[in-house]
Amino acid sequence: MQLEDLVIDKDIEAEAWEALEKSIVYYHGRPIGTVAAVDNSSEALNYDQVFVRDFVSSAVIFLAKGRTEIVRNFLEETLKLQPKERQLDAYKPARGLMPASFKVVSIDGKEYLDADFGEHAIARVTPVDSCLWWIILLRAYVVATKDICFAYRPEFQTGIKLILELCLANRFDMYPTLLVPDGACMIDRRMGIYGHPLEIQALFYAALRAARELLICEGNPGNQDIVAAIDNRLPLLCAHIRQHYWIDINRLNDIYRFKGEEYGRMAVNLFNIYADSLPYYELDKWLPIKGGYLAGNVGPSQLDTRFFSLGNLMAIISELATEEQSQAIMNLIDERWENLIGDMPMKICFPALEGEEYRIVTGCDPKNIPWSYHNGGSWPVLLWMLAAAAVKTNRIDLARKALAVAQHRLRKDEWIEYYDGKKGRLIGKQSRKYQTWTIAGFLLAKELIDNPQHLPLVSFEELPQELVSRACEFEINTVDSSLYL
Ligand code: GLC
């Protein structure tokens, strides 16, 4: 690629801004979010709603440009939608949950917000990621405006607390990771990501870090226990992911020679992973010497070796991954450019599930056929996370190259939601046009490359040392303490 190809076209940027403005939703005359897509050529379904996860991309670019009002309104209005009472009806959203999406409805000339917590969604999936993104966005707003008093308001303190009570509640499993049902995040369909998927863990980690900065104990005695619970959880979660999710050629070698059926404290193969369940011949070819990544999921006799972009990129941005691991992930993206970036940045996951595995794992989902949509499709929204990870690791050239690959096609194809095919050359079979997070993702990627000083809106530094040392004292047996550092 020539240097001039790396120059971002000003006209494309101006068109993207125009399209983003058109996606803004007003409530009582005030901007409160952006719709998922402004596409009149296909049935709206719920694409005419404001999705919490989709809005984050728009929100961060608005914050970077000083347009804080829309984000403030969004945070205030979504907070009002969060259920505050214990729910006895199991079909109703639990206390603390945030909706997947909402829309403005007009009854007798009066406007209301109608929220969907997954009870209307296709397959009734729970949007676990919404409440995590919500805390991350609240913290981004505070970073941008320096208005910490906004987050200290009692209703926000309660909102954060209710989310954390939901996430930190005792459950049956004994891992520091968060146990969730299938389709609980960006991949909101059955894709074999139930259990402890990386995407949720990376967002959980970032949300805990954000909540730790935003919660104030003074005047809120109830917050003390929550803060203590976060302090306990953070280092354990961090070390667990760094150790058990990590795959590189050395780790693959260890797993390849793992013994099974180990009982008791001294077990090395804690999760009883059987090497035969892994595509190790493929991985042996695919893993570059200096590359590595975090696995998609870890559980009893389960190591999902698919590469999931959002989880890996957010792990870099939030510093859930070590500095060395972050560099290795970026090396992998660089060395396996054709697979992970191809003709449209970037693959949601790699490789796709095919054949019998596709049929069993997705339930024969025609939208998720191999190399389409969530099953190995390419999603331009991921560009901004790639850019943020590139800034964080000082690999900006990779982001520049990816943006240059994307820009002309994005405009020509009218800001498509996703692309299909092994290299991302086909316009997604059921893809929407003028998909807002595609537009915002492009603008935000460009902004982060041009003005890396905006990175702290979404990024975190390494965990404070005192938390790490405390966790080392009681968890030394199960995790390698060097991984905290
Ligand atoms: C699809 C995506 C989901 C997104 C929604 C609206 O369902 O899988 O992540 O939030 O569309 O764009």
Side-chain angles (χ1 to χ4, degrees), residues 173 175-180 193-202 204 236-248 251-252 255 271 273 292-300 302-308 311-312 315 320-321 325 329 479 483:
D173 66 331
Y175 304 151
T177 36
L178 191 59
L179 176 67
V180 296
I193 55 164
Y194 57 86
H196 305 89
L198 178 66
E199 171 169 341
I200 288 288
Q201 311 317 322
F204 182 38
L236 299 182
L237 173 63
C238 182
H240 185 91
I241 298 287
R242 289 176 177 187
Q243 180 166 8
H244 299 300
Y245 283 63
W246 186 245
I247 301 179
D248 60 10
R251 178 82 180 141
L252 187 66
I255 299 170
F271 297 101
I273 309 291
Y293 65 102
L294 295 165
N297 209 333
V298 172
Q302 187 203 10
L303 178 68
D304 183 342
T305 56
R306 281 176 291 170
F307 175 92
F308 286 86
N312 272 283
L320 171 58
Q325 289 174 338
I329 297 169
V479 293
L483 286 156

Side-chain angles (χ1 to χ4, degrees), residues 235-404:
L236 299 182
L237 173 63
C238 182
H240 185 91
I241 298 287
R242 289 176 177 187
Q243 180 166 8
H244 299 300
Y245 283 63
W246 186 245
I247 301 179
D248 60 10
I249 196 66
N250 296 331
R251 178 82 180 141
L252 187 66
N253 259 306
D254 292 345
I255 299 170
Y256 184 57
R257 293 166 61 84
F258 262 167
K259 289 195 201 57
E261 317 296 329
E262 291 175 300
Y263 177 81
R265 276 182 175 277
M266 302 312 286
V268 176
N269 181 5
L270 289 190
F271 297 101
N272 201 31
I273 309 291
Y274 296 110
D276 279 352
S277 68
L278 311 184
Y280 48 82
Y281 287 138
E282 289 301 318
L283 282 171
D284 162 55
K285 262 193 315 199
W286 198 64
L287 278 169
I289 298 290
K290 291 194 172 156
Y293 65 102
L294 295 165
N297 209 333
V298 172
S301 297
Q302 187 203 10
L303 178 68
D304 183 342
T305 56
R306 281 176 291 170
F307 175 92
F308 286 86
S309 297
L310 197 157
N312 272 283
L313 297 173
M314 283 306 290
I316 296 176
I317 299 164
S318 64
E319 219 155 315
L320 171 58
T322 65
E323 165 67 27
E324 217 181 341
Q325 289 174 338
S326 297
Q327 288 296 339
I329 297 169
M330 295 309 283
N331 285 342
L332 179 84
I333 293 172
D334 192 9
E335 301 248 348
R336 295 292 170 255
W337 191 263
E338 286 295 293
N339 297 141
L340 300 175
I341 307 286
D343 277 18
M344 180 49 71
M346 106 173 253
K347 284 267 170 265
I348 195 166
C349 67
F350 179 90
L353 297 168
E354 299 189 81
E356 203 49 18
E357 209 181 359
Y358 150 73
R359 277 188 287 279
I360 295 171
V361 175
T362 70
C364 297
D365 185 346
K367 207 165 170 182
N368 270 339
I369 52 170
W371 305 106
S372 180
Y373 198 48
H374 299 147
N375 188 11
S378 303
W379 291 68
V381 60
L382 296 169
L383 256 175
W384 80 256
M385 293 181 217
L386 177 65
V391 172
K392 180 101 179 148
T393 51
N394 269 325
R395 307 285 290 267
I396 281 198
D397 279 357
L398 289 182
R400 232 180 240 133
K401 208 166 107 188
L403 198 57

Side-chain angles (χ1 to χ4, degrees), residues 135 440 481:
I135 300 183
S481 59

Side-chain angles (χ1 to χ4, degrees), residues 20 54 57-59 61 384 435-445:
L20 184 61
D54 295 40
S57 310
S58 310
I61 183 69
W384 80 256
Q435 179 80 18
T436 305
W437 67 1
T438 296
I439 299 163
F442 164 79
L443 288 171
L444 183 53

Side-chain angles (χ1 to χ4, degrees), residues 36 47 51 53-54 185-188 373-374 379 417 435 437:
Y47 281 84
F51 277 74
R53 76 172 71 83
D54 295 40
C185 50
M186 176 183 182
I187 297 181
D188 54 1
Y373 198 48
H374 299 147
W379 291 68
E417 179 186 13
Q435 179 80 18
W437 67 1

